Amino acid sequence: MRNFLEGRNSLEWKSLKLVGWIIQPTMEKTGNVAIIALFTAVIVGSDLALSGPEFSNIKLLDTLVFVSAYLFGFRVGAAVGILSETIWSFLSPIGMAGIITPFLVAGELLFAAAGLAASRVWGPEPRAISEKALFLGALLAICAFVWDIETNAATALIQYWPTLGIGQLVGTMFNPLTLAFALAHEGSDFAFGCILAPSFILLIPKAFRRRV
Amino acid sequence: MLIALLVVSGTSAVIYYGQYQTEASQNQRYVRELNTALASYRSLSGSFNSSISDYGRTLTLLSSAVANLNTSTPAYRNASVSLASLWSSYQQLSRLSGRRALVYSVHLLVDLGNGTRRWFNNTSIQPGWNGYVATLVLLKGNLEAAWYPQYGEHFVTAVDGVMQNSKASWFFWDYGGGNWNVAQTGADGLMVDNGTSIAWTLCGYDINYNPSCSP
């Protein structure tokens, strides 16, 4: 290594350091890639399993994006959210989402951000997590509410662009259809946040430790 | 005299035999032509039946596309208006081909909320259509809606040319168990079976969007 570096000027040395900086973190993140792939596969599989009309707008997607960000950080959570929502936008049996896909993906980033924020507040201590289950559920329900508002606003934008008015915006965001779907979404996210999210946060690190 | 009679009758026999042979060969030609025409007809008939099947599949695909297109796009408007006439011509062609297209019979009620009620009884739809597509076809595309791709549902804003307003909205109903039941998640979520009765009513609603009327 010394011979290789001998005679090189500082600019070349800086370039080599830059290359190393790019490659090294990539190699270190192999584990993260596996985690992202695992979460994404589980999300897409569960989305398909829950795609029937009896589970209308009930999905594990939000909970798992939240949990992945809580346990492994925002970047992992965001990657899980972006990948799984993008894949689902194309694979969904009810049809491709189309132009609204970026808005759906952006909404998932909210769950990743909430997961990071929750981990900063409550940390990884298991007892604290189980005691805060209701707060986790409430946090997920709030995120679901914001997601619904954001995507319904995007629907109005796409539907009525470029003549979108306030009446059309409000009418598209708040109507019997959106209320029914919002209730299912927020209610299921609250339930999953109370029951599944704390369980996953406790069990996943244990499972990973056992593997190691 | 006898010899002359023999010559005349022999000559006649030869002439008529020659004509018989000519006619026989012409007949054989006609038979061959008829057989060729019959084979062509059978082939054409097979192609026609195959085309009818393709027509049916195309209608299925088109109705699926209409159910998943953004309702503000020109493609949606064209397809939704054309779907009804295509469905009608498909049924006519199926009848001409001597076989009945597999159809479901449904009853649709449109209640405009001002005492006007329109019934579409025993109307034919294609198996696999949901409540939205069935309504779109039966009303000949006279339906306005906003498409929510995130829910896979349409929110219907106008039926049969009558728009919703600030006090009343369109509600979709399904008849079952002796009662009309309001659909909780829209018309797209309801797969219409044979003999199903569905309804659209323009109703007022309370703060929780519960309808104040029923069909």
Side-chain angles (χ1 to χ4, degrees):
Chain A
M1 190 69 173
R2 182 183 285 270
N3 290 340
F4 175 70
L5 293 174
E6 269 175 13
R8 293 183 181 271
N9 61 33
S10 65
L11 185 64
E12 283 176 309
W13 175 235
K14 278 179 186 167
S15 302
L16 281 169
K17 278 176 74 177
L18 182 65
V19 170
W21 182 82
I22 291 167
I23 293 170
Q24 192 65 17
T26 309
M27 291 172 70
E28 284 174 1
K29 301 295 180 191
T30 310
N32 282 351
V33 172
I35 290 164
I36 291 164
L38 185 68
F39 269 92
T40 305
V42 171
I43 288 169
V44 174
S46 66
D47 278 356
L48 272 172
L50 297 170
S51 61
E54 63 274 24
F55 301 111
S56 195
N57 218 25
I58 296 172
K59 286 186 174 58
L60 288 176
L61 167 70
D62 302 338
T63 310
L64 289 173
V65 169
F66 178 88
V67 168
S68 62
Y70 192 103
L71 292 174
F72 305 105
F74 178 76
R75 289 175 70 175
V76 170
V80 170
I82 291 167
L83 272 174
S84 50
E85 188 65 69
T86 306
I87 291 168
W88 187 244
S89 294
F90 285 92
L91 279 188
S92 170
I94 60 172
M96 280 196 290
I99 200 168
I100 203 172
T101 301
F103 296 96
L104 305 181
V105 170
E108 284 310 314
L109 295 180
L110 187 69
F111 289 93
L116 175 74
S119 74
R120 293 270 165 86
V121 174
W122 291 307
E125 210 274 305
R127 180 175 287 180
I129 291 299
S130 57
E131 286 171 357
K132 305 293 185 204
L134 273 176
F135 291 100
L136 289 180
L139 186 58
L140 274 167
I142 290 166
C143 289
F145 174 74
V146 176
W147 189 93
D148 288 331
I149 294 286
E150 184 247 341
T151 53
N152 289 343
T155 300
L157 191 70
I158 293 163
Q159 179 75 29
Y160 297 108
W161 180 265
T163 57
L164 177 65
I166 291 292
Q168 289 165 327
L169 180 68
V170 174
T172 309
M173 287 170 70
F174 305 103
N175 57 52
L177 184 82
T178 57
L179 178 75
F181 279 99
L183 283 176
H185 188 202
E186 287 145 33
S188 61
D189 271 16
F190 177 75
F192 291 154
C194 289
I195 300 161
L196 292 182
S199 310
F200 288 153
I201 289 168
L202 291 175
L203 294 175
I204 289 173
K206 284 183 184 172
F208 271 77
R209 250 179 261 135
R210 212 172 285 158
R211 291 267 176 216
V212 173
Chain B
M1 182 69 180
L2 189 63
I3 291 167
L5 194 65
L6 275 171
V7 170
V8 169
S9 61
T11 308
S12 300
V14 168
I15 289 166
Y16 280 109
Y17 182 74
Q19 282 183 346
Y20 164 76
Q21 288 292 338
T22 309
E23 290 299 322
S25 71
Q26 272 185 348
N27 277 348
Q28 280 178 348
R29 207 178 75 234
Y30 289 146
V31 167
R32 277 199 302 274
E33 281 176 6
L34 271 174
N35 282 334
T36 309
L38 187 64
S40 300
Y41 170 77
R42 282 183 178 147
S43 167
L44 191 65
S45 174
S47 301
F48 181 70
N49 285 333
S50 170
S51 298
I52 294 286
S53 300
D54 289 344
Y55 200 151
R57 276 196 292 276
T58 306
L59 270 172
T60 306
L61 287 170
L62 184 63
S63 57
S64 300
V66 165
N68 289 285
L69 273 174
N70 180 8
T71 54
S72 62
T73 57
Y76 169 82
R77 292 184 187 284
N78 291 336
S80 63
V81 171
S82 304
L83 197 54
S85 59
L86 288 172
W87 173 239
S88 174
S89 70
Y90 168 69
Q91 287 179 284
Q92 281 177 358
L93 287 171
S94 294
R95 276 194 291 274
L96 285 174
S97 73
R99 58 178 199 168
R100 288 187 61 191
L102 180 61
V103 294
Y104 283 172
S105 177
V106 298
H107 315 286
L108 170 71
L109 167 66
V110 177
D111 186 341
L112 302 182
N114 56 3
T116 308
R117 290 156 69 92
R118 285 187 68 197
W119 272 102
F120 298 80
N121 284 319
N122 289 315
T123 43
S124 300
I125 65 156
Q126 198 174 32
W129 284 357
N130 60 35
Y132 178 79
V133 175
T135 309
L136 192 70
V137 172
L138 297 182
L139 295 179
K140 296 181 169 55
N142 200 1
L143 197 68
E144 283 185 37
W147 167 237
Y148 290 77
Q150 66 270 37
Y151 305 142
E153 283 284 349
H154 291 85
F155 178 62
V156 173
T157 53
V159 176
D160 215 8
V162 179
M163 284 287 292
Q164 65 169 21
N165 53 56
S166 57
K167 291 179 182 169
S169 188
W170 282 103
F171 287 87
F172 182 63
W173 305 77
D174 167 35
Y175 190 78
N179 293 310
W180 284 103
N181 308 301
V182 69
Q184 294 298 323
T185 53
D188 300 72
L190 179 85
M191 295 309 289
V192 183
D193 287 328
N194 196 25
T196 303
S197 295
I198 52 176
W200 287 95
T201 58
L202 186 65
C203 287
Y205 47 83
D206 64 14
I207 196 165
N208 295 318
Y209 289 116
N210 293 314
S212 60
C213 68
S214 64

